[in-house]
């Protein structure tokens, strides 16, 4: 399907799963190289539909079936399994798949083409805990509050169907089916429509590096989907060297972008997406997406973002037209780890790599992206990490002080403002939101929420026991949890209370100091929108510098192609500090600073803009 006239009823034709052909016919396709015969079983009608073997492990049939019908695939052994490309489930991951007609939802905002990447202010949220109701529909009702604060984009943690009704989403097993606990597919589309009504883009976090431990039946009929002797930290490795596997995930990316009209995708932990040619599949995936979107509408903005622990700058390269060849940006863990070590003094785990001189590391991350651009990492036993990134534009990096990982992977899920001095957090929040990199806030961060966000799931029996004990054992090496008694305080991920305790408390916004934080964030985002955003279109890639000065003073300057400058100076020390030289230029924002005297208080900040010479 191509052409903007088709957008109101947009669908992505998939080589997998159940595809509605017309009002009374559906094509079913399954890749099952481990089976000799497969049958479609319908919950509410008989007889079954035998599938023809099309070669290379493919089975197909067309039947007189209507949208809404419940179905499953029956294997030669008699075992009944859900469709791995199910567009929706009737119950949970073990139950009936549902024939969904994507054309049944009529999009309102057919003229929507997205927003340029540089305009993005990301807001990561978990549908199940963002509102008391924990649904797509309830999330849509909160969008006005985000827009008023200056948020321009929401990023949903994974919504693909996972076992049970509570989970972060990274243990999904049906990548095409929105989690039923959050609502029906059309309710997810309505949330996206509502965001577009408010000129907000919508991103989705997708997981292509593993499947969850419960509800994945692919091994029964497609063992070739996996690397039999390979593993990731979360389960069996996926065989990206096989064409049907590669196409499965390319189709998934296009499905979310085309059929649901997401404006971008964030790809989880892609350093665990491996094939025999290194990053070849990641480049193939990006290329396939960009070609298809260009065919649909060459003026549409679609953005692709990575999480990549190896800091592979090659995936962020720009072409001669300054557009991304592959991916728009990467989550910059280096920026976060440096800022966290600076704020809390923590040196456990990977924070130890940033503890020697956090202010200098922060300045490097602000000026040139990664901190680790090929240096050896003590945390990684002396291995070299990263590639040079200083030549990339600032918008190639997504910076953040908090996200789901950095809060939820703490034993008790504490928020940053419960760990560090609020003045210090304010100063780094200003640096985050005024820097030219793309900023990300985690839900509730805009008002300084102290509500914990904990790791939670909904497993049972032996799997629940293994997850609970594994979670607690992770923290043995921390002094705070060195004894069995102390580890008993770590919340059970499977307990419903752990999930409930992670739900945002919107009443926090009424507390005076939280209201002050919200006002600060709103002011910062207003300055970013009015004064800094126009500069970003002129930001000169690679033309940034760290201005040398006293220890503890972070002083970074970025130049535009017209010769203008954007400067941020942050005092991370416990004493008043004199600015290293005159604070030239127009002051866009200051926090605890005397500009005329050239003095900045502890955790004070000054942001200035200089006109072209």
């Amino acid at each position: 399907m191509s052409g903007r006239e088709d957008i109101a009823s947009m669908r992505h034709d998939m080589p997998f799963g159940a595809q509605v052909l017309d009002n009374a016919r559906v094509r079913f396709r399954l890749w099952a190289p481990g089976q000799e015969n497969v049958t479609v079983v319908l919950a509410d009608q008989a007889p079954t539909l035998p599938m023809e073997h099309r070669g290379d492990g493919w089975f197909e049939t067309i039947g007189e079936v209507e949208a809404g019908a419940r179905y499953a695939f029956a294997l030669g052994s008699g075992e009944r399994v859900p469709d791995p490309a199910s567009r929706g489930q009737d119950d949970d991951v073990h139950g009936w798949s549902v024939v969904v007609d994507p054309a049944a939802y009529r999009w309102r905002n057919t003229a929507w083409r997205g927003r340029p990447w540089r305009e993005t202010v990301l807001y990561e949220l978990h549908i199940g805990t963002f509102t008391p109701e924990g649904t797509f529909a309830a999330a849509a009702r909160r969008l006005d509050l985000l827009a008023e604060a200056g948020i321009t984009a929401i990023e949903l943690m994974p919504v693909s169907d996972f076992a049970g009704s509570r989970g972060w989403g990274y243990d999904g097993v049906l990548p095409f089916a929105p989690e039923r606990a959050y609502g029906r597919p059309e309710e997810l589309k309505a949330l996206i429509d509502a965001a577009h009504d408010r000129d907000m883009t919508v991103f989705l976090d997708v997981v292509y590096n593993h499947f969850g431990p419960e509800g994945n039946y692919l091994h029964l009929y497609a063992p070739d989907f996996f690397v039999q002797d390979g593993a990731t930290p979360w389960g069996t490795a996926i065989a990206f060297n096989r064409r049907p596997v590669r196409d499965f995930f390319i189709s998934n990316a296009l499905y979310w972008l085309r059929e649901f009209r997401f404006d971008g995708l964030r790809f989880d932990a892609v350093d665990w997406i491996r094939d025999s040619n290194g990053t070849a599949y990641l480049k193939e995936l990006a290329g396939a997406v960009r070609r298809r979107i260009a065919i649909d509408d060459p003026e549409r903005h679609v953005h692709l973002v990575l999480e990549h622990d190896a800091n592979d700058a090659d995936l962020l390269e720009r072409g001669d037209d300054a557009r991304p060849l592959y991916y728009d940006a990467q989550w910059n863990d280096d920026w976060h780890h440096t800022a966290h070590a600076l704020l809390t003094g923590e040196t456990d785990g990977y924070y130890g790599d940033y503890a020697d001189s956090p202010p200098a590391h922060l300045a490097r991350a602000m000026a040139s992206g990664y901190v680790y651009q090929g240096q050896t990492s003590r945390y990684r036993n002396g291995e070299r990490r990263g590639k040079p990134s200083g030549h990339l534009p600032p918008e190639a990096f997504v910076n953040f002080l908090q996200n789901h990982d950095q809060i939820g992977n703490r034993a008790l899920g504490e928020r940053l403002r419960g760990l560090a001095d609020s003045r210090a957090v304010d100063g780094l929040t200003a640096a985050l939101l005024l820097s030219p990199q793309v900023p990300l806030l985690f839900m509730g961060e805009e008002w300084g929420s102290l509500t914990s966000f904990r790791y939670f799931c909904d497993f049972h029996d032996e799997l629940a026991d293994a997850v609970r004990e594994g979670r607690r054992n992770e923290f043995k090496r921390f002094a705070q949890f060195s004894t069995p008694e102390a580890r008993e305080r770590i919340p059970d991920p499977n307990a419903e209370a752990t999930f409930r305790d992670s739900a945002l408390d919107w009443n926090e916004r009424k507390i005076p100091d939280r209201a002050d934080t919200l006002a600060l964030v709103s002011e910062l985002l207003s300055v970013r929108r009015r004064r800094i955003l126009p500069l970003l279109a002129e930001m000169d890639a690679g033309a940034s510098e760290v201005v040398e000065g006293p220890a503890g003073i972070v002083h970074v300057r970025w130049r535009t192609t017209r010769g203008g400058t954007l400067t941020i100076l942050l005092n991370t020390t416990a004493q008043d500090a004199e600015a290293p030289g005159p604070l030239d230029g127009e002051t866009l924002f200051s926090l605890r600073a005397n500009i005329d005297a050239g003095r900045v208080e502890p955790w004070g900040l000054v942001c200035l803009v200089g006109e072209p010479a």
Side-chain angles (χ1 to χ4, degrees):
M1 177 179 294
S2 63
R4 294 187 56 77
E5 69 277 3
D6 301 314
I7 285 178
S9 58
M10 191 71 173
R11 76 174 188 182
H12 174 61
D13 292 331
M14 298 194 300
F16 303 84
Q19 185 77 42
V20 173
L21 302 179
D22 51 41
N23 290 335
R25 292 191 313 145
V26 174
R27 186 208 67 200
F28 298 91
R29 287 196 96 213
L30 179 71
W31 188 60
Q35 296 290 303
E36 293 186 2
N37 58 79
V38 182
T39 302
V40 177
V41 180
L42 300 167
D44 304 312
Q45 69 184 71
T48 60
L49 302 175
M51 303 184 76
E52 296 182 22
H53 197 295
R54 298 291 192 180
D56 297 325
W58 285 99
F59 292 84
E60 181 178 333
T61 190
I62 296 176
E64 294 185 1
V65 180
E66 295 185 350
R70 298 179 297 161
Y71 70 99
F73 294 114
L75 308 180
S77 62
E79 188 160 5
R80 195 182 73 196
V81 299
D83 184 354
S86 167
R87 280 179 161 94
Q89 288 295 106
D90 179 54
D91 187 12
D92 200 7
V93 295
H94 304 290
W96 294 101
S97 299
V98 178
V99 174
V100 174
D101 182 3
Y105 183 84
R106 304 294 294 181
W107 291 94
R108 296 191 308 274
N109 292 295
T110 57
W112 175 261
R113 285 172 162 168
R115 298 180 65 160
W117 173 240
R118 70 178 69 94
E119 297 179 5
T120 303
V121 176
L122 281 165
Y123 186 93
E124 186 189 23
L125 66 89
H126 177 269
I127 288 292
T129 55
F130 179 58
T131 65
E133 302 89 343
T135 63
F136 297 129
R141 294 192 288 271
R142 303 282 180 167
L143 293 179
D144 283 335
L145 295 176
L146 303 187
E148 289 169 7
I151 304 299
T152 66
I154 59 173
E155 179 178 313
L156 310 185
M157 289 173 63
V159 301
S160 296
D161 207 6
F162 51 81
S165 59
R166 305 183 300 274
W168 279 14
Y170 296 92
D171 281 332
V173 292
L174 296 175
F176 295 81
E179 168 58 42
R180 187 176 179 276
Y182 301 156
R184 301 183 304 278
E186 55 268 31
E187 290 173 309
L188 174 54
K189 293 178 179 180
L191 167 60
I192 296 168
D193 237 353
H196 292 168
D197 282 339
R198 292 156 177 82
D199 203 26
M200 297 174 70
T201 54
V202 189
F203 290 72
L204 178 66
D205 196 342
V206 292
V207 183
Y208 294 166
N209 50 54
H210 77 289
F211 289 92
E214 181 183 345
N216 173 28
Y217 292 92
L218 278 163
H219 62 280
L220 293 179
Y221 53 87
D224 291 350
F225 211 97
F226 303 97
V227 179
Q228 299 308 313
D229 58 350
T232 73
W234 316 282
T236 306
I238 296 172
F240 285 98
N241 60 315
R242 297 191 171 95
R243 186 75 258 165
V245 176
R246 298 164 86 89
D247 289 342
F248 183 83
F249 291 108
I250 289 173
S251 188
N252 184 258
L254 289 170
Y255 164 79
W256 292 120
L257 293 169
R258 302 182 75 226
E259 198 159 296
F260 283 80
R261 302 189 69 215
F262 278 99
D263 301 286
L265 301 174
R266 181 263 192 188
F267 299 89
D268 179 68
V270 298
D271 41 304
W272 289 100
I273 295 177
R274 297 176 175 176
D275 61 22
S276 56
N277 295 314
T279 60
Y281 178 66
L282 291 173
K283 294 177 179 178
E284 177 187 343
L285 171 62
V289 167
R290 296 199 183 280
R291 286 191 298 273
R292 178 67 258 183
I293 297 302
I295 292 171
D296 288 343
D297 182 358
E299 296 184 32
R300 183 184 174 195
H301 296 281
V302 163
H303 310 298
L304 307 179
V305 181
L306 298 171
E307 181 191 30
H308 198 320
D309 183 67
N311 283 1
D312 188 347
D314 292 349
L315 294 168
L316 307 178
E317 292 294 342
R318 268 52 181 170
D320 293 338
D321 59 359
R323 294 184 179 183
L325 294 177
Y326 309 110
Y327 295 87
D328 295 77
Q330 176 183 314
W331 275 28
N332 193 0
D333 280 344
D334 280 6
W335 198 97
H336 168 270
H337 297 347
T338 299
H340 188 92
L342 184 57
L343 286 169
T344 67
E346 292 182 9
T347 59
D348 288 318
Y350 43 64
Y351 293 129
D353 274 352
Y354 306 86
D356 54 342
S357 182
H361 291 321
L362 184 68
R364 177 177 171 84
M366 291 171 66
S368 61
Y370 304 138
V371 172
Y372 281 84
Q373 301 184 28
Q375 297 91 335
T376 57
S377 161
R378 286 171 298 186
Y379 174 68
R380 294 169 174 79
N381 301 314
E383 292 182 8
R384 293 191 177 275
R385 176 171 177 251
K387 296 179 180 179
S389 60
H391 63 290
L392 295 170
E395 64 187 47
F397 303 93
V398 175
N399 290 348
F400 44 86
L401 285 170
Q402 302 182 79
N403 64 32
H404 72 276
D405 269 332
Q406 306 305 337
I407 303 172
N409 283 333
R410 300 182 67 85
L412 303 179
E414 307 103 320
R415 297 275 189 145
L416 188 58
R417 286 185 182 269
L419 301 170
D421 181 87
S422 288
R423 293 185 311 161
V425 178
D426 286 346
L428 273 172
T429 298
L432 170 71
L433 299 182
L434 298 178
S435 294
Q437 291 84 8
V438 172
L440 177 144
L441 299 172
F442 186 69
M443 60 181 193
E445 188 176 354
E446 73 274 27
W447 70 75
S449 174
L450 291 178
T451 302
S452 63
F453 184 76
R454 299 172 173 177
Y455 175 67
F456 49 82
C457 53
D458 191 11
F459 299 133
H460 303 277
D461 304 323
E462 292 181 2
L463 180 56
D465 294 339
V467 170
R468 181 190 310 110
E469 294 312 308
R471 173 75 173 168
R472 290 173 174 169
N473 286 335
E474 283 181 23
F475 296 96
K476 275 185 177 180
R477 61 186 176 83
F478 294 90
Q480 182 182 0
F481 301 104
S482 60
T483 67
E485 294 76 18
R487 290 194 293 277
E488 285 295 318
R489 295 192 296 108
I490 299 175
D492 178 1
N494 299 284
E496 186 172 357
T498 304
F499 167 71
R500 296 296 175 197
D501 289 345
S502 299
L504 268 187
D505 180 2
W506 287 82
N507 290 320
E508 278 188 301
R509 290 166 53 96
K510 302 173 185 177
I511 300 172
D513 65 339
R514 308 292 195 280
D516 290 344
T517 298
L518 180 59
L520 172 63
V521 168
S522 298
E523 181 183 0
L524 289 165
L525 290 178
S526 176
V527 172
R528 183 181 185 89
R529 180 182 66 255
R530 291 182 293 104
R531 300 303 308 276
I532 296 177
L533 182 59
L535 297 176
L536 299 186
E538 304 172 353
M539 199 63 66
D540 197 359
S544 58
E545 61 177 324
V546 176
V547 181
E548 297 297 328
I553 304 300
V554 175
H555 193 179
V556 182
R557 181 181 296 122
W558 298 268
R559 299 189 183 278
T560 70
T561 54
R562 295 194 303 117
T565 59
L566 174 69
T567 300
I568 289 179
L569 185 148
L570 172 68
N571 177 11
T572 71
T573 73
Q575 295 83 34
D576 284 8
E578 291 188 9
L583 295 175
D584 295 327
E586 178 188 357
T587 300
L588 299 185
F589 180 86
S590 67
L591 180 70
R592 293 189 293 276
N594 185 328
I595 305 299
D596 293 335
R599 295 188 65 80
V600 184
E601 296 177 24
W603 294 106
L605 175 142
V606 180
C607 177
L608 309 107
V609 62
E611 293 298 323

